[in-house]
Every structure is written in structure tokens, then in C-alpha cells.
Amino acid sequence: MLFRSIQRAPFQSLLADAVPSRYRSLASGSVTFQMCAGAILFLMLGRTLGAQTAFTIAAVTVVVIAVAMGLAVRETETAATDEPSASLWTAIRVSLDGSVTGMRQIFLATLLLQMTFQMFTTWYALHGMERFGVGPEEVTTGFIAWAVGGVIGALPAGVIGGRIGRRNTMLLGFATLALCLVALDRVSTVEQAVPWLALASASWTLPTVN
């Protein structure tokens, strides 16, 4: 999980620099759409071929993509600047000290959003079978539903952000995600959980994309 995040983080972080602000929500939506579509594919591979084979195929795919990008993608040279590059610690300090209006609130909201996402998916992976009294294959259905919700929600999330504003879209996503998680606490079967998992994932894309 750690190495997966390490290889994914630079791409997501640099997206903000590569795409103009007015198109950033759409670009983030496209990336999230592709991520969730890939999740569906490899979850289905896991059910068909087994987890070990699916992980091996996924690892090889990541290496192939990295090699292809290394060979095909070239950065354009930019004019030299005398301004020093910001360090990681500077970025953290600016995110928390309130010197940039709204930055601290966005940072904390994003942190809590991703913590909620990671904690919920980890709980579901570890305790889904016990919670619903089913086997591994039925639990995988819930992950597929989550990925489908991400596919359905990602691109519209970018459009909605462009129409009603990123802040409003993020607040809408937080509210609907909270409602979905409360509903998931009330269901008793995987079949009942599947639509709520899909809707929760679609809600998660609203703040994630924007």
C-alpha cells in the first residue's frame, strides 16, 4: 500500500501544475475515472484468475506504463527563475499556518476525507465477511460497486465543479458521503450495501476531483 501511494502521489500532485485552473476539475475527474475503471478490471481479474495472478499482472502493467512514459513524455523547457523551489516543509507550513486564505481548511478537509476513505475500505476488506456473513467473492462485489460508483461519479464531478464551484461541490460530496456511510451502518446484507457503496464512491469523487 505504501509503495502504491508513493508511485501514484507525484502524478496526482503534479496535475495541478500541468493543467490550467479552469480545466483542473475536469482533468482530475478524468484521472479518477481511469483509476476506478482500472480497479474494476483488476478486481474482475482477481475473481477470475486469483489474487496473486491479478497482482502480478497489475505490477507488470505499472512497470510498462512507467517505461512508456519515460520514453514518450518529455518536459518542455521553461524560462529560468530566481525564485527558490519550495521545500516539502514549506508546503506543510503554508498549509497549516493560515497565511493563505482557506488553505488550512482545505488541507484538513482533504486529510479527513482521505482518512475516511482509507479507513472505510480497510475496514470493509478486513471485516466485510464477518459483518455480512459472506465469502471473499461476495465481499469483492462491494469493491466492484465502489469502483463503479467512482466511474459514474468522476467525470460528472468535474463538470459539476465547473458549474457550481469547487467549494459547493466539495460540500455536496461531504454531505452525501456522510449520509451513505450512515445508511451502510443500517444494512444487513451485501445486496443491500451494494447501491450505497456505489453512491458513497460517487459522493467521494465530488471533493476528490475538485
Side-chain angles (χ1 to χ4, degrees), residues 141-157:
T141 302
F143 280 115
I144 294 174
W146 184 278
V148 169
V151 167
I152 293 172
L155 295 181

Side-chain angles (χ1 to χ4, degrees), residues 4-183:
R4 184 194 69 176
S5 298
I6 289 174
Q7 60 87 20
R8 188 174 66 183
F11 182 83
Q12 292 182 312
S13 299
L14 293 172
L15 182 65
D17 292 330
V19 179
S21 177
R22 62 181 298 184
Y23 301 116
R24 201 166 295 151
S25 292
L26 290 173
S28 297
S30 175
V31 171
T32 305
F33 173 88
Q34 295 170 55
M35 178 182 70
C36 292
I40 295 172
L41 172 62
F42 284 105
L43 283 167
M44 295 301 294
L45 282 176
R47 294 188 66 169
T48 304
L49 304 176
Q52 183 175 356
T53 302
F55 271 114
T56 301
I57 295 173
V60 172
T61 302
V62 169
V63 172
V64 170
I65 292 172
V67 171
M69 287 191 65
L71 294 175
V73 178
R74 293 288 182 271
E75 276 191 283
T76 56
E77 294 185 3
T78 56
T81 177
D82 294 331
E83 296 182 5
S85 300
S87 67
L88 173 62
W89 299 114
T90 300
I92 294 173
R93 177 179 56 78
V94 170
S95 299
L96 296 175
D97 66 7
S99 58
V100 178
T101 303
M103 178 68 74
R104 178 165 51 196
Q105 292 85 341
I106 290 293
F107 174 82
L108 294 175
T110 303
L111 176 63
L112 291 173
L113 171 70
Q114 297 305 332
M115 287 177 62
T116 300
F117 167 72
Q118 296 295 344
M119 286 190 294
F120 175 77
T121 52
T122 300
W123 171 86
Y124 184 80
L126 294 176
H127 302 289
M129 290 187 291
E130 176 187 350
R131 170 70 169 79
F132 297 113
V134 295
E137 289 189 356
E138 288 80 3
V139 170
T140 304
T141 302
F143 280 115
I144 294 174
W146 184 278
V148 169
V151 167
I152 293 172
L155 295 181
V159 175
I160 294 170
R163 292 287 179 85
I164 68 173
R166 293 176 187 165
R167 177 181 178 276
N168 292 335
T169 305
M170 293 172 72
L171 291 174
L172 175 63
F174 286 132
T176 53
L177 178 57
L179 290 174
C180 290
L181 294 178
V182 170

